[in-house]
Amino acid sequence: MFFFDIIFSFTKRLRYWHSCDRIGPDVPLTHWKLYFPTLGRKLAQAKLKAFGSGSEIRPYAYLVNTNYISIGKNVTIRPNTMLMAASFAPIDIGDDVLIGSGVHLISSNHNFDKVGTLISEQGHDQDRAGISIASNVWIGANAIVLAGTKIGHHAVIAAASVVTKDVPPYSVVGGIPARILRNIEHSSAQLS
């Protein structure tokens, strides 16, 4: 009887790994595919809302609620990066975005104002949800981008920064919380 319980439990786990809405090392049935670019691409196209040509997810990256994550063309999700979306809080990443290792994009936040209720039972704040990243953005290693933020075209997020509000196009932000450090000079001649 014990042997059959183990087999049943393992079979149930395999079914979950195959059908779950996530990619990462905690899903070993599919994670191994990320070591092979063609298989990794097929996995991403099957699980994500959108996955552009030339994009890649590297091993040891975590993507949670993949049905609500859109990734444009020529984007690499590096190791130890986490993208955590929700049905009411999608993550949209444009084309040609550079994302350093260890970056966290967390698109929703827990409610916590009801003192007599456990935080885990208060649900999520749906007023400030989702993350939108325009094209040609660079997010440095170990940066954290929090719910409700929009990052403009050609913006740069310094390594280890915590982004809590919108980032204008052509700006460099850094710090905790991130603030504008400088603007990037641009002209129509440079954009060609």
Side-chain angles (χ1 to χ4, degrees):
M1 192 69 148
F2 177 71
F3 176 73
F4 292 112
D5 290 340
I6 292 172
I7 295 297
F8 176 75
S9 178
F10 185 68
T11 304
K12 188 176 174 182
R13 177 58 57 181
L14 285 175
R15 271 191 239 122
Y16 170 76
W17 285 340
H18 181 70
S19 64
C20 69
D21 191 16
R22 61 190 301 138
I23 295 173
D26 56 337
V27 188
L29 184 65
T30 57
H31 181 73
W32 65 271
K33 294 178 182 180
L34 299 179
Y35 287 92
F36 304 93
T38 303
L39 292 175
R41 168 167 280 303
K42 287 182 181 181
L43 174 66
Q45 288 171 333
K47 295 238 181 209
L48 273 64
K49 182 177 178 183
F51 191 71
S53 64
S55 290
E56 182 180 354
I57 299 171
R58 300 272 171 85
Y60 296 100
Y62 291 83
L63 289 82
V64 179
N65 293 317
T66 54
N67 287 331
Y68 306 103
I69 298 173
S70 299
I71 296 174
K73 295 183 277 190
N74 304 315
V75 176
T76 300
I77 306 300
R78 299 201 189 299
N80 300 314
T81 292
M82 175 172 279
L83 280 63
M84 186 173 287
S87 61
F88 58 89
I91 295 175
D92 294 309
I93 300 173
D95 299 335
D96 303 301
V97 174
L98 300 174
I99 299 176
S101 295
V103 169
H104 284 59
L105 305 178
I106 310 297
S107 72
S108 66
N109 195 12
H110 287 281
N111 289 321
F112 53 85
D113 291 332
K114 298 175 186 167
V115 178
T117 304
L118 295 172
I119 292 174
S120 61
E121 294 176 0
Q122 293 188 40
H124 289 86
D125 179 1
Q126 296 188 23
D127 294 333
R128 184 169 162 79
I131 293 173
S132 177
I133 300 171
S135 295
N136 196 29
V137 168
W138 176 20
I139 303 175
N142 297 312
I144 298 172
V145 179
L146 296 177
T149 54
K150 292 182 174 119
I151 299 174
H153 179 77
H154 203 98
V156 175
I157 312 298
S161 296
V162 178
V163 178
T164 60
K165 59 185 180 181
D166 292 353
V167 176
Y170 303 100
S171 61
V172 178
V173 301
I176 303 172
R179 61 180 177 77
I180 295 175
L181 301 176
R182 70 182 181 96
N183 292 310
I184 300 169
E185 296 293 325
H186 66 283
S187 68
S188 57
Q190 289 178 309
L191 299 176
S192 57

